[in-house]
Amino acid sequence: MSDEQPAITLYRLQACPYCERVVRTLDEQGLAYQSRFVEPMHSDRNVVKRVSGKRSVPAIVDDNTGVTMSESANIVDYLEHTYGEGA
């Protein structure tokens, strides 16, 4: 068993439908990822702001490609185009 962290880190909230959409896509693509649950209070999400420049979730950091992004629709699009069928 490897101690390596997955290349993809997902910053998310509990019970966030936009975050769940990204989780579903990651699972469908069979991608390993690490979940980082963030503060529910928008103004307290400094860890997300440090990595993505925004406090919104979901946000991902993909160490495979050097991509950092937020907005669930953009993330799903990125994952499907980068890792999906025929990528």
Side-chain angles (χ1 to χ4, degrees):
M1 181 148 162
S2 171
D3 285 341
E4 272 185 50
Q5 295 292 335
I8 297 173
T9 302
L10 170 63
Y11 293 85
R12 63 195 278 208
L13 281 171
Q14 293 279 12
C16 160
Y18 300 106
C19 300
E20 292 308 313
R21 180 179 178 200
V22 173
V23 167
R24 225 176 8 258
T25 302
L26 286 161
D27 290 343
E28 286 168 0
Q29 302 294 344
L31 297 169
Y33 64 94
Q34 174 181 348
S35 286
R36 295 274 312 265
F37 288 94
V38 300
E39 297 293 329
M41 183 66 86
H42 193 264
S43 60
D44 290 340
R45 295 185 200 152
N46 295 327
V47 67
V48 181
K49 185 157 182 21
R50 271 197 302 276
V51 297
S52 74
K54 299 179 184 174
R55 285 190 166 93
S56 60
V57 291
I60 67 163
V61 177
D62 185 347
D63 291 336
N64 285 329
T65 60
V67 166
T68 299
M69 64 172 38
S70 47
E71 302 297 325
S72 63
N74 294 344
I75 294 170
V76 166
D77 218 37
Y78 162 77
L79 291 170
E80 288 175 346
H81 283 89
T82 306
Y83 297 105
E85 295 282 321

mmCIF file of all heavy atoms in Angstrom, residues 11-14 16 18-19 36-59 70:
data_model
loop_
_atom_site.group_PDB
_atom_site.id
_atom_site.type_symbol
_atom_site.label_atom_id
_atom_site.label_comp_id
_atom_site.label_asym_id
_atom_site.label_seq_id
_atom_site.Cartn_x
_atom_site.Cartn_y
_atom_site.Cartn_z
ATOM 1 N N TYR A 11 -11.547 20.486 -2.508
ATOM 2 C CA TYR A 11 -11.976 21.301 -1.371
ATOM 3 C C TYR A 11 -13.491 21.371 -1.455
ATOM 4 O O TYR A 11 -14.038 21.754 -2.484
ATOM 5 C CB TYR A 11 -11.351 22.700 -1.441
ATOM 6 C CG TYR A 11 -9.855 22.633 -1.252
ATOM 7 C CD1 TYR A 11 -9.017 22.379 -2.323
ATOM 8 C CD2 TYR A 11 -9.298 22.772 0.011
ATOM 9 C CE1 TYR A 11 -7.639 22.286 -2.151
ATOM 10 C CE2 TYR A 11 -7.922 22.688 0.196
ATOM 11 C CZ TYR A 11 -7.104 22.447 -0.888
ATOM 12 O OH TYR A 11 -5.758 22.350 -0.700
ATOM 13 N N ARG A 12 -14.165 20.972 -0.349
ATOM 14 C CA ARG A 12 -15.619 20.837 -0.417
ATOM 15 C C ARG A 12 -16.279 21.085 0.925
ATOM 16 O O ARG A 12 -15.615 21.173 1.947
ATOM 17 C CB ARG A 12 -15.967 19.431 -0.902
ATOM 18 C CG ARG A 12 -15.496 18.349 0.057
ATOM 19 C CD ARG A 12 -15.508 16.975 -0.539
ATOM 20 N NE ARG A 12 -16.809 16.351 -0.516
ATOM 21 C CZ ARG A 12 -17.012 15.038 -0.466
ATOM 22 N NH1 ARG A 12 -15.996 14.203 -0.456
ATOM 23 N NH2 ARG A 12 -18.212 14.542 -0.459
ATOM 24 N N LEU A 13 -17.588 21.171 0.878
ATOM 25 C CA LEU A 13 -18.417 21.312 2.072
ATOM 26 C C LEU A 13 -19.260 20.060 2.235
ATOM 27 O O LEU A 13 -19.603 19.413 1.237
ATOM 28 C CB LEU A 13 -19.389 22.492 1.913
ATOM 29 C CG LEU A 13 -18.846 23.884 2.132
ATOM 30 C CD1 LEU A 13 -19.890 24.906 1.719
ATOM 31 C CD2 LEU A 13 -18.477 24.082 3.590
ATOM 32 N N GLN A 14 -19.645 19.762 3.461
ATOM 33 C CA GLN A 14 -20.598 18.683 3.709
ATOM 34 C C GLN A 14 -21.936 19.064 3.066
ATOM 35 O O GLN A 14 -22.330 20.229 3.122
ATOM 36 C CB GLN A 14 -20.845 18.526 5.223
ATOM 37 C CG GLN A 14 -19.655 18.049 5.992
ATOM 38 C CD GLN A 14 -19.474 16.529 5.907
ATOM 39 O OE1 GLN A 14 -20.103 15.844 5.102
ATOM 40 N NE2 GLN A 14 -18.599 16.019 6.722
ATOM 41 N N CYS A 16 -23.048 19.669 0.166
ATOM 42 C CA CYS A 16 -23.074 20.709 -0.863
ATOM 43 C C CYS A 16 -23.383 20.033 -2.203
ATOM 44 O O CYS A 16 -22.600 19.201 -2.653
ATOM 45 C CB CYS A 16 -21.717 21.404 -0.906
ATOM 46 S SG CYS A 16 -21.358 22.291 -2.424
ATOM 47 N N TYR A 18 -23.229 21.047 -5.250
ATOM 48 C CA TYR A 18 -22.225 21.314 -6.287
ATOM 49 C C TYR A 18 -20.980 20.466 -6.047
ATOM 50 O O TYR A 18 -20.363 19.965 -6.976
ATOM 51 C CB TYR A 18 -21.866 22.802 -6.320
ATOM 52 C CG TYR A 18 -23.064 23.662 -6.603
ATOM 53 C CD1 TYR A 18 -23.649 24.418 -5.593
ATOM 54 C CD2 TYR A 18 -23.636 23.695 -7.876
ATOM 55 C CE1 TYR A 18 -24.764 25.196 -5.843
ATOM 56 C CE2 TYR A 18 -24.757 24.461 -8.129
ATOM 57 C CZ TYR A 18 -25.319 25.209 -7.112
ATOM 58 O OH TYR A 18 -26.432 25.957 -7.365
ATOM 59 N N CYS A 19 -20.632 20.311 -4.768
ATOM 60 C CA CYS A 19 -19.485 19.477 -4.422
ATOM 61 C C CYS A 19 -19.781 18.016 -4.746
ATOM 62 O O CYS A 19 -18.923 17.300 -5.278
ATOM 63 C CB CYS A 19 -19.157 19.625 -2.938
ATOM 64 S SG CYS A 19 -18.751 21.321 -2.457
ATOM 65 N N ARG A 36 -10.833 17.591 1.174
ATOM 66 C CA ARG A 36 -10.528 18.526 2.268
ATOM 67 C C ARG A 36 -11.824 19.281 2.545
ATOM 68 O O ARG A 36 -12.280 20.054 1.702
ATOM 69 C CB ARG A 36 -9.444 19.528 1.837
ATOM 70 C CG ARG A 36 -8.092 18.938 1.553
ATOM 71 C CD ARG A 36 -7.184 18.774 2.760
ATOM 72 N NE ARG A 36 -7.087 19.938 3.623
ATOM 73 C CZ ARG A 36 -6.142 20.860 3.537
ATOM 74 N NH1 ARG A 36 -5.201 20.784 2.607
ATOM 75 N NH2 ARG A 36 -6.118 21.865 4.386
ATOM 76 N N PHE A 37 -12.415 19.002 3.690
ATOM 77 C CA PHE A 37 -13.646 19.707 4.043
ATOM 78 C C PHE A 37 -13.268 21.065 4.617
ATOM 79 O O PHE A 37 -12.361 21.177 5.440
ATOM 80 C CB PHE A 37 -14.474 18.882 5.033
ATOM 81 C CG PHE A 37 -15.099 17.692 4.378
ATOM 82 C CD1 PHE A 37 -14.474 16.465 4.404
ATOM 83 C CD2 PHE A 37 -16.298 17.817 3.696
ATOM 84 C CE1 PHE A 37 -15.035 15.356 3.783
ATOM 85 C CE2 PHE A 37 -16.864 16.722 3.059
ATOM 86 C CZ PHE A 37 -16.241 15.490 3.109
ATOM 87 N N VAL A 38 -13.963 22.105 4.163
ATOM 88 C CA VAL A 38 -13.614 23.478 4.536
ATOM 89 C C VAL A 38 -14.663 24.063 5.470
ATOM 90 O O VAL A 38 -15.731 23.491 5.672
ATOM 91 C CB VAL A 38 -13.435 24.371 3.279
ATOM 92 C CG1 VAL A 38 -12.336 23.828 2.395
ATOM 93 C CG2 VAL A 38 -14.729 24.508 2.508
ATOM 94 N N GLU A 39 -14.344 25.215 5.989
ATOM 95 C CA GLU A 39 -15.231 25.916 6.919
ATOM 96 C C GLU A 39 -16.539 26.289 6.231
ATOM 97 O O GLU A 39 -16.530 26.811 5.118
ATOM 98 C CB GLU A 39 -14.563 27.214 7.404
ATOM 99 C CG GLU A 39 -13.297 27.005 8.187
ATOM 100 C CD GLU A 39 -13.555 26.322 9.509
ATOM 101 O OE1 GLU A 39 -14.634 26.513 10.100
ATOM 102 O OE2 GLU A 39 -12.663 25.577 9.948
ATOM 103 N N PRO A 40 -17.672 26.051 6.911
ATOM 104 C CA PRO A 40 -18.956 26.428 6.311
ATOM 105 C C PRO A 40 -19.088 27.939 6.102
ATOM 106 O O PRO A 40 -19.696 28.381 5.139
ATOM 107 C CB PRO A 40 -19.998 25.941 7.322
ATOM 108 C CG PRO A 40 -19.284 25.022 8.245
ATOM 109 C CD PRO A 40 -17.822 25.347 8.175
ATOM 110 N N MET A 41 -18.498 28.723 7.010
ATOM 111 C CA MET A 41 -18.603 30.176 6.900
ATOM 112 C C MET A 41 -17.698 30.671 5.776
ATOM 113 O O MET A 41 -16.480 30.487 5.822
ATOM 114 C CB MET A 41 -18.198 30.818 8.236
ATOM 115 C CG MET A 41 -18.349 32.313 8.243
ATOM 116 S SD MET A 41 -20.059 32.824 8.109
ATOM 117 C CE MET A 41 -20.532 32.787 9.816
ATOM 118 N N HIS A 42 -18.299 31.276 4.773
ATOM 119 C CA HIS A 42 -17.588 31.722 3.571
ATOM 120 C C HIS A 42 -16.346 32.541 3.916
ATOM 121 O O HIS A 42 -15.273 32.330 3.348
ATOM 122 C CB HIS A 42 -18.549 32.521 2.690
ATOM 123 C CG HIS A 42 -18.041 32.772 1.318
ATOM 124 N ND1 HIS A 42 -17.395 33.935 0.968
ATOM 125 C CD2 HIS A 42 -18.085 32.007 0.197
ATOM 126 C CE1 HIS A 42 -17.076 33.873 -0.315
ATOM 127 N NE2 HIS A 42 -17.461 32.722 -0.805
ATOM 128 N N SER A 43 -16.472 33.447 4.861
ATOM 129 C CA SER A 43 -15.350 34.335 5.208
ATOM 130 C C SER A 43 -14.207 33.614 5.910
ATOM 131 O O SER A 43 -13.112 34.157 6.018
ATOM 132 C CB SER A 43 -15.842 35.492 6.077
ATOM 133 O OG SER A 43 -16.418 34.990 7.264
ATOM 134 N N ASP A 44 -14.447 32.378 6.372
ATOM 135 C CA ASP A 44 -13.402 31.612 7.060
ATOM 136 C C ASP A 44 -12.637 30.669 6.139
ATOM 137 O O ASP A 44 -11.758 29.949 6.598
ATOM 138 C CB ASP A 44 -14.015 30.773 8.195
ATOM 139 C CG ASP A 44 -14.509 31.632 9.346
ATOM 140 O OD1 ASP A 44 -14.065 32.787 9.461
ATOM 141 O OD2 ASP A 44 -15.345 31.131 10.114
ATOM 142 N N ARG A 45 -12.958 30.634 4.871
ATOM 143 C CA ARG A 45 -12.346 29.655 3.964
ATOM 144 C C ARG A 45 -11.012 30.134 3.398
ATOM 145 O O ARG A 45 -10.787 30.136 2.193
ATOM 146 C CB ARG A 45 -13.304 29.349 2.809
ATOM 147 C CG ARG A 45 -14.559 28.667 3.272
ATOM 148 C CD ARG A 45 -15.398 28.282 2.091
ATOM 149 N NE ARG A 45 -16.765 28.072 2.524
ATOM 150 C CZ ARG A 45 -17.820 28.241 1.751
ATOM 151 N NH1 ARG A 45 -17.666 28.606 0.498
ATOM 152 N NH2 ARG A 45 -19.018 28.026 2.206
ATOM 153 N N ASN A 46 -10.109 30.488 4.270
ATOM 154 C CA ASN A 46 -8.822 31.020 3.815
ATOM 155 C C ASN A 46 -7.978 29.966 3.111
ATOM 156 O O ASN A 46 -7.223 30.284 2.194
ATOM 157 C CB ASN A 46 -8.063 31.617 4.993
ATOM 158 C CG ASN A 46 -8.798 32.819 5.561
ATOM 159 O OD1 ASN A 46 -9.454 33.548 4.826
ATOM 160 N ND2 ASN A 46 -8.725 33.009 6.855
ATOM 161 N N VAL A 47 -8.115 28.694 3.509
ATOM 162 C CA VAL A 47 -7.328 27.644 2.859
ATOM 163 C C VAL A 47 -7.709 27.544 1.376
ATOM 164 O O VAL A 47 -6.850 27.369 0.519
ATOM 165 C CB VAL A 47 -7.476 26.279 3.588
ATOM 166 C CG1 VAL A 47 -8.873 25.716 3.476
ATOM 167 C CG2 VAL A 47 -6.467 25.295 3.056
ATOM 168 N N VAL A 48 -8.981 27.686 1.069
ATOM 169 C CA VAL A 48 -9.421 27.633 -0.332
ATOM 170 C C VAL A 48 -8.944 28.872 -1.070
ATOM 171 O O VAL A 48 -8.473 28.782 -2.203
ATOM 172 C CB VAL A 48 -10.963 27.512 -0.439
ATOM 173 C CG1 VAL A 48 -11.396 27.423 -1.884
ATOM 174 C CG2 VAL A 48 -11.465 26.308 0.335
ATOM 175 N N LYS A 49 -9.045 30.022 -0.427
ATOM 176 C CA LYS A 49 -8.593 31.263 -1.067
ATOM 177 C C LYS A 49 -7.105 31.191 -1.387
ATOM 178 O O LYS A 49 -6.682 31.639 -2.454
ATOM 179 C CB LYS A 49 -8.897 32.469 -0.178
ATOM 180 C CG LYS A 49 -8.546 33.784 -0.853
ATOM 181 C CD LYS A 49 -9.326 34.912 -0.270
ATOM 182 C CE LYS A 49 -9.104 36.260 -0.878
ATOM 183 N NZ LYS A 49 -8.569 36.377 -2.181
ATOM 184 N N ARG A 50 -6.312 30.590 -0.488
ATOM 185 C CA ARG A 50 -4.875 30.464 -0.740
ATOM 186 C C ARG A 50 -4.593 29.622 -1.985
ATOM 187 O O ARG A 50 -3.684 29.926 -2.739
ATOM 188 C CB ARG A 50 -4.173 29.842 0.466
ATOM 189 C CG ARG A 50 -3.716 30.862 1.479
ATOM 190 C CD ARG A 50 -2.693 30.310 2.449
ATOM 191 N NE ARG A 50 -3.158 29.152 3.187
ATOM 192 C CZ ARG A 50 -3.890 29.196 4.296
ATOM 193 N NH1 ARG A 50 -4.246 30.352 4.790
ATOM 194 N NH2 ARG A 50 -4.241 28.092 4.902
ATOM 195 N N VAL A 51 -5.339 28.540 -2.190
ATOM 196 C CA VAL A 51 -5.029 27.670 -3.330
ATOM 197 C C VAL A 51 -5.687 28.108 -4.625
ATOM 198 O O VAL A 51 -5.119 27.937 -5.691
ATOM 199 C CB VAL A 51 -5.357 26.179 -3.060
ATOM 200 C CG1 VAL A 51 -4.517 25.645 -1.926
ATOM 201 C CG2 VAL A 51 -6.816 25.934 -2.830
ATOM 202 N N SER A 52 -6.911 28.666 -4.542
ATOM 203 C CA SER A 52 -7.634 28.964 -5.787
ATOM 204 C C SER A 52 -7.868 30.446 -6.045
ATOM 205 O O SER A 52 -8.344 30.816 -7.116
ATOM 206 C CB SER A 52 -8.989 28.246 -5.793
ATOM 207 O OG SER A 52 -9.890 28.877 -4.903
ATOM 208 N N GLY A 53 -7.574 31.287 -5.067
ATOM 209 C CA GLY A 53 -7.810 32.719 -5.238
ATOM 210 C C GLY A 53 -9.242 33.127 -4.930
ATOM 211 O O GLY A 53 -9.579 34.299 -4.963
ATOM 212 N N LYS A 54 -10.105 32.148 -4.642
ATOM 213 C CA LYS A 54 -11.506 32.420 -4.297
ATOM 214 C C LYS A 54 -11.845 31.627 -3.049
ATOM 215 O O LYS A 54 -11.161 30.667 -2.721
ATOM 216 C CB LYS A 54 -12.444 31.957 -5.427
ATOM 217 C CG LYS A 54 -12.221 32.634 -6.745
ATOM 218 C CD LYS A 54 -13.203 32.047 -7.757
ATOM 219 C CE LYS A 54 -12.953 32.633 -9.134
ATOM 220 N NZ LYS A 54 -13.781 31.984 -10.138
ATOM 221 N N ARG A 55 -12.949 32.004 -2.417
ATOM 222 C CA ARG A 55 -13.388 31.253 -1.242
ATOM 223 C C ARG A 55 -14.502 30.271 -1.588
ATOM 224 O O ARG A 55 -15.026 29.610 -0.708
ATOM 225 C CB ARG A 55 -13.871 32.210 -0.155
ATOM 226 C CG ARG A 55 -12.744 32.921 0.547
ATOM 227 C CD ARG A 55 -13.226 33.674 1.777
ATOM 228 N NE ARG A 55 -12.107 34.073 2.601
ATOM 229 C CZ ARG A 55 -11.506 35.243 2.502
ATOM 230 N NH1 ARG A 55 -11.902 36.121 1.617
ATOM 231 N NH2 ARG A 55 -10.485 35.529 3.292
ATOM 232 N N SER A 56 -14.862 30.172 -2.860
ATOM 233 C CA SER A 56 -15.986 29.308 -3.227
ATOM 234 C C SER A 56 -15.553 27.852 -3.357
ATOM 235 O O SER A 56 -14.414 27.560 -3.686
ATOM 236 C CB SER A 56 -16.627 29.795 -4.527
ATOM 237 O OG SER A 56 -15.685 29.782 -5.571
ATOM 238 N N VAL A 57 -16.481 26.950 -3.061
ATOM 239 C CA VAL A 57 -16.273 25.516 -3.245
ATOM 240 C C VAL A 57 -17.385 25.007 -4.148
ATOM 241 O O VAL A 57 -18.445 25.625 -4.227
ATOM 242 C CB VAL A 57 -16.268 24.750 -1.894
ATOM 243 C CG1 VAL A 57 -15.048 25.094 -1.091
ATOM 244 C CG2 VAL A 57 -17.528 24.975 -1.093
ATOM 245 N N PRO A 58 -17.166 23.921 -4.851
ATOM 246 C CA PRO A 58 -15.969 23.112 -4.824
ATOM 247 C C PRO A 58 -14.801 23.784 -5.545
ATOM 248 O O PRO A 58 -14.996 24.624 -6.411
ATOM 249 C CB PRO A 58 -16.388 21.834 -5.567
ATOM 250 C CG PRO A 58 -17.436 22.310 -6.532
ATOM 251 C CD PRO A 58 -18.175 23.399 -5.789
ATOM 252 N N ALA A 59 -13.615 23.351 -5.155
ATOM 253 C CA ALA A 59 -12.390 23.759 -5.841
ATOM 254 C C ALA A 59 -11.493 22.536 -5.899
ATOM 255 O O ALA A 59 -11.519 21.708 -4.986
ATOM 256 C CB ALA A 59 -11.701 24.889 -5.080
ATOM 257 N N SER A 70 -12.154 26.412 -9.637
ATOM 258 C CA SER A 70 -13.382 26.305 -8.861
ATOM 259 C C SER A 70 -14.554 26.359 -9.835
ATOM 260 O O SER A 70 -14.332 26.417 -11.046
ATOM 261 C CB SER A 70 -13.460 27.414 -7.802
ATOM 262 O OG SER A 70 -13.150 28.657 -8.354
#
